Amino acid sequence: MLTDGRVVRSSVVSSQIALHAAYGGVVPELAARAHLEGLATVVDAALAPVPGGWDSIDAVAVTRGPGLAGCLIVGTMYASCAALGRGLPLVGVSHLAGHVYSAWLADPDLEPPYLALLVSGGHTECVVLREHGVAERLAATRDDAAGEAFDKVARLLGLEYPGGPAIQRVAAGGDPTRFPLPRTRIDGAFSFSGLKTAVRYVVRDLGAAALTRAGTPRDPRVVADIAASFQAAAVDQLVTGLAAAADRCGATTVAVVGGVAANRALREAVTARFAGLRVVVPPLDLCTDNAAMIAAAGWHRLRISGPDTPGFDVDPSLAECA
Ligand code: KG4
Ligand code: ZN
């Protein structure tokens, strides 16, 4: 719940990590059911610390896409009913815009234009927010998203889901130079599938004796060194791509947003590389998915474009980023 679009009064996240961990990734049907079961409790918890509860709410924002259709439908139906029931305006928001606006929430002095590196489980792109509601995508991934690569490499190494935090944890004790991995460079784009495949070959080339029956490296030292080498290559590609985009649009402010922005190595690399610019790296709870960023993006969208009609269609492949 936000006041004036920018002050976070409450933010409640119901994590589904434990639910999906057993499957090594998100199971769409389970995700939608868990949304349905948990949504009312989460909304109640978000309103509990707010004096007046629902009576103090002026508008409802909800994610319209991109994402899993079943989850988006649960959210938009709940929000539509709440808006109709309370006679409130409703606004459907792009999840990507939410991530871009997480930087605006994190830094009370930040105003567009700013360049955001948006790195999550489903997206890897450079987005310049030129003014509120007006964004341009300067680069995007050609194949896997950065977070997806972390998750897939973690699986190759026998680490738990989600892979990003697991890789970060073991990489801390590893040697990032032991396994030379490709630094993919493509003008105006990212690509992570080659890096992921290179890790697959490194693991294969360790030989059967070095692998468990599941095909993951036995030696924790090797796991740590591969994780550190992969993390270094991934961070290098992201920072280089962001630098190219910053040059292209003459950015004076850069932000790193999305779940992968929680990665310590990436946060440190961006802060070091762009020391001459203003750098915004939101706190961890604004990097990974949260409702506060959706409310912030919704506040601007409502102001600029007006409300949406309750019951509007979801868009699982929505590309809009403002
Ligand atoms: O933005 P997000 O919470 O959900 C999506 O919109 O996808 O991002 C989730 C992604 C996952 O792939 C997860 O492995 C990654 O963010 N992630 C990390 C870290 N924490 C989460 N990746 C690298 N290092 C981390 N510390
Ligand atoms: Zn996200």
Side-chain angles (χ1 to χ4, degrees):
M1 191 264 177
L2 301 188
T3 301
D4 298 334
R6 202 159 200 176
V7 181
V8 182
R9 300 284 296 280
S10 69
S11 178
V12 179
V13 174
S14 168
S15 169
Q16 294 193 9
I17 286 177
L19 177 66
H20 300 292
Y23 304 92
V26 173
V27 183
E29 183 57 27
L30 291 183
R33 281 167 195 253
H35 271 301
L36 192 58
E37 283 162 14
L39 198 42
T41 313
V42 168
V43 171
D44 287 349
L47 286 172
V50 179
W54 269 112
D55 289 341
S56 68
I57 301 298
D58 301 316
V60 178
V62 64
T63 305
R64 184 158 64 93
L68 295 170
C71 300
L72 295 169
I73 289 170
V74 170
T76 51
M77 282 300 130
Y78 187 97
S80 293
C81 293
L84 281 173
R86 305 286 315 182
L88 295 171
L90 172 72
V91 62
V93 177
S94 161
H95 182 77
L96 306 179
H99 277 304
V100 168
Y101 271 99
S102 70
W104 182 82
L105 261 189
D107 181 342
D109 299 322
L110 179 64
E111 287 300 332
Y114 63 88
L115 175 66
L117 171 66
L118 195 173
V119 269
S120 70
H123 293 85
T124 300
E125 37 200 64
C126 290
V127 173
V128 56
L129 185 68
R130 297 206 182 279
E131 54 187 87
H132 289 301
V134 181
E136 187 187 340
R137 182 178 281 101
L138 298 182
T141 183
R142 292 212 173 147
D143 38 62
D144 291 353
E148 190 180 355
F150 271 87
D151 294 337
K152 287 178 175 171
V153 166
R155 210 192 274 221
L156 291 173
L157 298 179
L159 301 171
E160 75 274 12
Y161 168 86
I167 297 239
Q168 169 170 307
R169 189 187 70 246
V170 300
D175 173 3
T177 63
R178 176 161 168 200
F179 296 100
L181 291 169
R183 262 66 175 163
T184 311
R185 298 253 187 281
I186 309 174
D187 260 357
F190 297 98
S191 167
F192 286 93
S193 70
L195 175 57
K196 174 198 64 191
T197 305
V199 172
R200 186 185 297 282
Y201 290 153
V202 165
V203 172
R204 183 197 63 189
D205 294 346
L206 293 170
L211 302 178
T212 64
R213 283 176 55 174
T216 59
R218 285 184 195 284
D219 183 353
R221 178 86 248 154
V222 170
V223 170
D225 292 345
I226 296 177
S229 302
F230 161 76
Q231 182 175 262
V235 166
D236 191 37
Q237 186 189 153
L238 291 171
V239 174
T240 305
L242 178 60
D247 281 348
R248 201 135 43 93
C249 70
T252 53
T253 303
V254 296
V256 195
V257 300
V260 183
N263 184 269
R264 201 179 312 127
L266 177 60
R267 298 164 81 86
E268 288 171 3
V270 169
T271 307
R273 173 75 175 250
F274 299 97
L277 305 186
R278 175 167 178 191
V279 178
V280 180
V281 185
L284 302 190
D285 57 348
L286 283 178
C287 290
T288 44
D289 288 349
N290 64 88
M293 69 185 193
I294 301 300
W299 192 75
H300 287 289
R301 198 181 158 85
L302 185 60
R303 200 171 49 78
I304 295 164
S305 312
D308 292 304
T309 309
F312 60 76
D313 283 341
V314 301
D315 186 347
S317 49
L318 184 66
E320 204 173 270
C321 35

